[in-house]
Amino acid sequence: GVAALALLGPAPGAPCCPHGPALLFVKTSQGTEEGRRFYACSACRDRKDCNFFQWEDEKVSEARLAAREEYNRSQQPCFTHRQNVDRYKNFVLLPLSKRRFCQECQQLLLPAEWKKHSDHQFLCDITTAQLKSPSQLLYPLENKKTNAQYLFADRSCQFLLNLLTDLGFRRVLSVGTPRLHEMIQSKAAQEEEFNVRSLLLDIDFRYSQFYTEDEFCHYNMFNHHFFGEEAARETCRKFLCEENGERVIMVTDPPFGGLVEALASSFKKLMAMWRETEKEGHDNREMPMFWIFPYFFESRILDFFPSFSMMDYQVDYDNHALYKHGKTGRRQSPVRIFTNLTPSMIVLPEEEGYRFCTVCQRYVSSGNQHCEICNSCTSKDGRRWKHCVLCKRCVKPSWFHCDSCKCCTLQKHSCEKTDSGCFVCGKAGHKRSACPSLSRS
């Protein structure tokens, strides 16, 4: 039979790996009812990045528990966040000629440490401007599933920031969006009247070298784990308090290979944290949120957050070959903004080809034609979609109705039913990426 993995979620008392509490999964193979449950790393889907594995019913010896704790400790960074903040203060006092950054260790170096790193590659004369944009100084960890640090292109970042300020938000909880955080920080330093603040929550501890404990928390968004324990959680809670009416919004840009249900679970916990800060008034409201993710996850996200809707804006990335805007990338970016804000409030730039649809009451991309039969702007990918009367919905322009499959699909496809069902809906005959339920409007 075909084995499938299902996430059972964060479990109380779960064992820990270096990335915090592990998540509980179940492996089911077709034909058998109940699969065996096991714990695996929350952040790394690839066993070679973190090979933590434990059957749920496994008895772990004292010796192995001790060895595991020792290992987890050995994997923690060599400096604490507090130490990194002190090191930064010393680093800034150095003359330019003494400011070095070790590229191999991804670390700011103080003169006393040069000798230890003498055979490493390093950068010299680190300017204040470089220190203010660490996302450009650090090399991106492009391991697709854990870090996937594809950084917003400047244009998209600028657009997001303008949108947030126009909407009146004064505090941004930046979850895995270092470039947005950075842009907010440097604008706040340069412009007196700019009063937006940001707190970065990120699994990449390298950022602790550049930001104080009020500006950065080491955080794993797959299991809602604050590595700095209670102090970091408190920092986040304080930040979410809307003092003097400073409205908070959370902006997150998770790795696209990540598990949607694990992310949704963490985001709900951050929302709950926001709700607790406000004694009255928040009871049935949701913290405003932008979840930036590819459009083909729309139905999955809406399963967890029915109040969300998907905007047509295409978010672009700097170092991602595929997701660059327009002519330079291989194709248009599939990345969108999902939000619980009223769609009509999200104004998209007309000079980039977006227009307002008065029927749908939202901005759509110019190729997205309003379908009279569906009574909505149905395109998800920026191209003009076409209506299929048999499927009773709009489909991609490259799809055709197949009589034997009884639905629209690619012209070149195999009709024979394979026994391995689709990852998303369980039906046979197509792969996850082509699942019709992903694009249900």
Side-chain angles (χ1 to χ4, degrees):
V2 179
L5 269 192
L7 172 70
L8 298 171
C16 286
C17 73
H19 304 92
L23 294 178
L24 187 59
F25 294 87
V26 61
K27 218 187 196 101
T28 53
S29 47
Q30 269 181 337
T32 57
E33 271 309 292
E34 195 43 53
R36 202 168 168 197
R37 292 144 71 109
F38 64 90
Y39 291 104
C41 175
S42 58
C44 309
R45 300 259 67 59
D46 200 325
R47 294 290 290 278
K48 62 174 186 291
D49 298 313
C50 177
N51 61 10
F52 183 85
F53 181 92
Q54 182 190 313
W55 293 111
E56 188 192 26
D57 50 18
E58 191 180 328
K59 291 273 173 278
V60 183
S61 68
E62 289 297 319
R64 224 179 102 206
L65 278 177
R68 181 186 287 167
E69 284 202 3
E70 189 41 55
Y71 174 74
N72 288 352
R73 254 199 307 277
S74 75
Q75 293 303 297
Q76 295 316 310
C78 51
F79 293 111
T80 63
H81 191 166
R82 176 66 49 84
Q83 287 171 318
N84 272 339
V85 172
D86 289 338
R87 293 166 54 78
Y88 183 85
K89 286 179 186 154
N90 291 329
F91 191 89
V92 198
L93 297 173
L94 297 169
L96 205 55
S97 61
K98 295 214 163 141
R99 289 192 196 171
R100 287 186 185 176
F101 175 76
C102 177
Q103 285 182 291
E104 277 169 60
C105 305
Q106 291 286 290
Q107 195 186 307
L108 297 172
L109 298 182
L110 297 170
E113 298 157 341
W114 288 1
K115 205 158 171 230
K116 209 171 99 196
H117 296 259
S118 59
D119 52 351
H120 292 179
Q121 294 273 309
F122 52 81
L123 296 171
C124 301
D125 304 342
I126 303 296
T127 63
T128 308
Q130 281 173 297
L131 294 173
K132 294 285 175 226
S133 26
S135 74
Q136 266 123 330
L137 181 63
L138 302 165
Y139 66 76
L141 303 169
E142 290 184 2
N143 158 333
K144 299 255 186 319
K145 306 233 169 30
T146 319
N147 297 87
Q149 286 179 336
Y150 299 117
L151 304 163
F152 293 144
D154 221 36
R155 193 185 56 87
S156 286
C157 204
Q158 202 66 65
F159 163 75
L160 279 170
L161 185 49
N162 293 343
L163 181 58
L164 298 174
T165 46
D166 291 348
L167 289 168
F169 291 104
R170 291 295 165 261
R171 291 182 187 213
V172 183
L173 185 66
S174 302
V175 183
T177 57
R179 196 156 268 187
L180 178 65
H181 173 72
E182 198 168 282
M183 193 176 266
I184 292 172
Q185 296 284 89
S186 56
K187 251 184 127 86
Q190 285 158 10
E191 303 168 23
E192 200 121 307
E193 67 286 356
F194 184 80
N195 53 359
V196 180
R197 292 193 9 240
S198 168
L199 171 65
L200 177 63
L201 306 188
D202 204 292
I203 197 166
D204 185 353
F205 190 68
R206 297 177 303 173
Y207 284 107
S208 67
Q209 301 178 82
F210 304 91
Y211 298 122
T212 65
E213 287 146 304
D214 289 335
E215 298 167 325
F216 168 75
C217 295
H218 190 201
Y219 174 77
N220 178 348
M221 65 170 98
F222 290 106
N223 58 4
H224 186 59
H225 177 64
F226 286 88
F227 293 84
E229 302 302 334
E230 209 30 63
R233 201 175 272 113
E234 198 40 50
T235 299
C236 184
R237 206 177 285 125
K238 269 217 305 277
F239 185 83
L240 294 175
C241 276
E242 304 192 338
E243 303 163 324
N244 348 320
E246 293 188 317
R247 292 174 61 216
V248 171
I249 185 167
M250 171 177 152
V251 181
T252 183
D253 180 37
F256 305 148
L259 291 157
V260 176
E261 51 269 60
L263 294 167
S265 157
S266 297
F267 299 163
K268 284 185 170 159
K269 286 175 184 159
L270 288 170
M271 282 181 162
M273 210 185 228
W274 171 82
R275 210 172 281 122
E276 285 156 21
T277 61
E278 189 69 32
K279 291 294 167 273
E280 70 280 355
H282 279 181
D283 298 340
N284 40 22
R285 290 207 2 252
E286 281 181 354
M287 167 164 68
M289 186 164 136
F290 282 170
W291 178 344
I292 293 162
F293 224 52
Y295 71 80
F296 34 84
F297 285 102
E298 182 181 24
S299 67
R300 300 287 291 129
I301 290 179
L302 299 187
D303 283 343
F304 294 104
F305 293 107
S307 64
F308 280 34
S309 49
M310 182 176 87
M311 303 296 97
D312 269 20
Y313 184 78
Q314 296 190 7
V315 180
D316 295 325
Y317 294 81
D318 252 1
N319 52 331
H320 201 300
L322 287 139
Y323 301 166
K324 278 215 182 79
H325 189 72
K327 307 285 179 280
T328 48
R330 206 175 73 195
R331 53 163 181 242
Q332 294 184 308
S333 168
V335 186
R336 303 288 180 268
I337 299 168
F338 292 87
T339 183
N340 49 6
L341 299 176
T342 314
S344 59
M345 293 164 58
I346 315 290
V347 179
L348 303 185
E350 287 178 16
E351 66 278 6
E352 285 176 34
Y354 299 97
R355 60 177 179 83
F356 190 74
C357 172
T358 46
V359 187
C360 295
Q361 282 293 297
R362 67 181 183 101
Y363 279 81
V364 295
S365 74
S366 50
N368 193 353
Q369 293 293 318
H370 190 87
C371 170
E372 299 297 338
I373 309 166
C374 297
N375 194 27
S376 76
C377 293
T378 48
S379 165
K380 307 283 181 199
D381 61 8
R383 298 178 297 171
R384 185 176 182 167
W385 284 22
K386 59 184 185 186
H387 191 86
C388 170
V389 276
L390 296 170
C391 291
K392 297 191 170 57
R393 62 191 190 99
C394 285
V395 296
K396 293 183 175 179
S398 53
W399 285 16
F400 292 90
H401 196 85
C402 168
D403 292 327
S404 46
C405 291
K406 300 213 170 4
C407 69
C408 282
T409 178
L410 287 166
Q411 203 165 15
K412 288 192 177 70
H413 72 282
S414 54
C415 296
E416 48 279 15
K417 299 271 177 270
T418 48
D419 58 355
S420 66
C422 160
F423 196 71
V424 179
C425 68
K427 294 197 184 82
H430 61 263
K431 284 217 186 69
R432 157 193 178 158
S433 55
C435 180
S437 75
L438 286 178
S439 57
R440 64 166 191 233
S441 45

